[in-house]
Amino acid sequence: MILILMLGYTSITHGQEALCTNAKKNLSIIEPYSIEVTFDKTSHLLFPSVIRYVDLGSTNLVASKADDAGNVLRVKASVRDFEEETNFSVITEDGTFYSFNVSYNSCPRVTNYSLTKTLKSDREWNSKPILFKELGTNSPNMVDELMEEIYKQDKHFIKQIGTRKFGIEFLLKGIHINDDKFYFYTQIRNSSFVSFPIDFINFKVIDKKKAKRTVVQEVIKHPIRVYKSIDEVQGKTVSRNVFVLDQFTIADDKVLRIELHEKNGSRLQILEIKNSDLLKSKLIQQEDVRKDKERYIERDVK
């Protein structure tokens, strides 16, 4: 009986070990970077994309994003000479997850680190990109690639939506759609020598006809991703951009208004888009990005 029980226990143990081994085989391990920190110096980490999330492994560390530089993280020790290794993790806007093991060194050899895309690919991480709630099932990388493709193609297939005044031309050059997301492609041309500082651009659905002394109902549509940040359009220059918004429709008695506000100025630019314009949006897919990349590769080879 004792022999049977021992054999049964051994079989269960081996079975559990086999299950654990198989489970480990199915995991993609993200190898952490190793860095050193100290109390008297600040370490800076430069990421290829804006930092979205930071989690510190212990109170022995303090970290914050650098002012006016969303892709730079400052890290230092909050106490002197801590002995046990700790860690921290970072998620960036392109959906990449980074892990770091941190040890204390009173005089670290390196205090500034650059985490470029080349370095990331060299490590051959197999993890899938982080998915953000506002993008649904779309990976940030895919959305970024689609915006870049629209920007590079620079197609102007919407001709009637634009405004020109005060030396500024504001155009809606195209509307694309992919997986329940609108991609609005805009252009600002400054034909004067006076620079045009941008305060903000907003999207809102308003009534088409506004009677006097009536409350105007407005529904703000917030972009969930922007191709690039533009603070100013210098004189005699052109600036283009892509804004990603959740898919929506507009009633016949309403319009989508895009307002371009000048900072400390009065050169307000307004575009109005009807629902019929939204229905003319063109489909863009990752297949378009792949074909475009292949064309560039063939051109470079030739």
Side-chain angles (χ1 to χ4, degrees):
M1 180 65 70
I2 293 172
L3 180 61
I4 292 171
L5 289 173
M6 290 179 64
L7 289 171
Y9 176 77
T10 303
S11 299
I12 292 171
T13 303
H14 285 313
Q16 289 176 339
E17 289 178 352
L19 287 173
C20 290
T21 302
N22 289 333
K24 288 179 180 177
K25 287 180 179 178
N26 293 330
L27 294 176
S28 296
I29 297 174
I30 300 177
E31 293 292 339
Y33 293 101
S34 295
I35 69 170
E36 295 177 332
V37 297
T38 187
F39 183 81
D40 296 314
K41 295 180 180 179
T42 300
S43 296
H44 289 84
L45 291 87
L46 174 63
F47 292 87
S49 183
V50 173
I51 299 163
R52 182 168 178 138
Y53 165 90
V54 178
D55 180 72
L56 302 178
S58 78
T59 56
N60 291 332
L61 299 176
V62 290
S64 63
K65 287 196 292 185
D67 298 336
D68 299 324
N71 66 326
V72 177
L73 184 70
R74 300 178 294 199
V75 183
K76 68 182 301 183
S78 60
V79 296
R80 296 182 184 273
D81 302 316
F82 65 81
E83 295 182 358
E84 294 185 358
E85 185 181 74
T86 184
N87 73 332
F88 68 92
S89 303
V90 174
I91 297 175
T92 53
E93 283 287 354
D94 61 1
T96 305
F97 178 88
Y98 298 87
S99 177
F100 302 86
N101 287 337
V102 188
S103 57
Y104 189 91
N105 188 334
S106 58
C107 189
R109 187 175 61 87
V110 179
T111 56
N112 298 312
Y113 303 85
S114 178
L115 290 103
T116 63
K117 292 184 178 181
T118 303
L119 182 59
K120 186 181 76 171
S121 62
D122 288 343
R123 298 177 69 89
E124 295 182 350
W125 291 349
N126 295 318
S127 62
K128 293 183 178 179
I130 305 296
L131 298 179
F132 298 138
K133 181 178 179 181
E134 68 271 16
L135 297 180
T137 58
N138 293 326
S139 72
N141 269 341
M142 190 200 82
V143 175
D144 290 345
E145 286 182 353
L146 292 178
M147 287 193 295
E148 184 176 13
E149 180 66 16
I150 293 170
Y151 187 88
K152 284 180 1 185
Q153 287 183 358
D154 191 22
K155 292 184 178 179
H156 189 181
F157 59 85
I158 293 182
K159 304 295 184 181
Q160 73 277 17
I161 301 177
T163 179
R164 297 177 182 86
K165 56 183 179 179
F166 310 121
I168 302 297
E169 179 187 66
F170 186 34
L171 300 177
L172 178 66
K173 301 185 75 172
I175 306 174
H176 296 79
I177 191 168
N178 176 277
D179 198 15
D180 298 331
K181 299 287 184 292
F182 280 129
Y183 293 73
F184 289 86
Y185 180 43
T186 64
Q187 176 177 289
I188 306 168
R189 180 186 299 274
N190 187 351
S191 59
S192 73
F193 288 104
V194 181
S195 64
F196 185 83
I198 297 174
D199 192 3
F200 61 90
I201 298 178
N202 62 12
F203 294 72
K204 56 187 179 183
V205 176
I206 65 169
D207 295 334
K208 189 179 293 185
K209 294 182 179 180
K210 296 174 291 184
K212 292 183 178 180
R213 297 181 182 178
T214 60
V215 178
V216 178
Q217 292 186 348
E218 298 180 351
V219 179
I220 303 297
K221 298 293 183 181
H222 298 284
I224 56 179
R225 212 148 181 97
V226 181
Y227 182 65
K228 61 180 180 179
S229 176
I230 302 174
D231 297 322
E232 186 175 25
V233 182
Q234 295 288 341
K236 299 296 182 180
T237 63
V238 177
S239 181
R240 298 178 286 124
N241 213 345
V242 183
F243 300 86
V244 183
L245 284 78
D246 281 319
Q247 179 180 308
F248 60 94
T249 54
I250 308 171
D252 290 338
D253 61 341
K254 297 180 182 296
V255 294
L256 172 68
R257 173 179 284 187
I258 304 176
E259 296 178 346
L260 172 62
H261 291 258
E262 181 184 18
K263 189 173 183 178
N264 300 323
S266 58
R267 291 181 290 177
L268 172 66
Q269 309 291 319
I270 296 175
L271 303 179
E272 291 191 348
I273 296 111
K274 298 178 292 185
N275 190 61
S276 57
D277 298 315
L278 295 178
L279 296 178
K280 295 175 184 177
S281 57
K282 293 192 175 182
L283 180 66
I284 185 166
Q285 304 180 81
Q286 274 191 305
E287 184 72 13
D288 300 320
V289 178
R290 186 186 63 80
K291 289 179 179 178
D292 192 56
K293 286 182 177 178
E294 288 177 353
R295 286 197 295 268
Y296 276 102
I297 291 172
E298 290 177 359
R299 186 191 66 183
D300 293 340
V301 170
K302 291 179 180 178

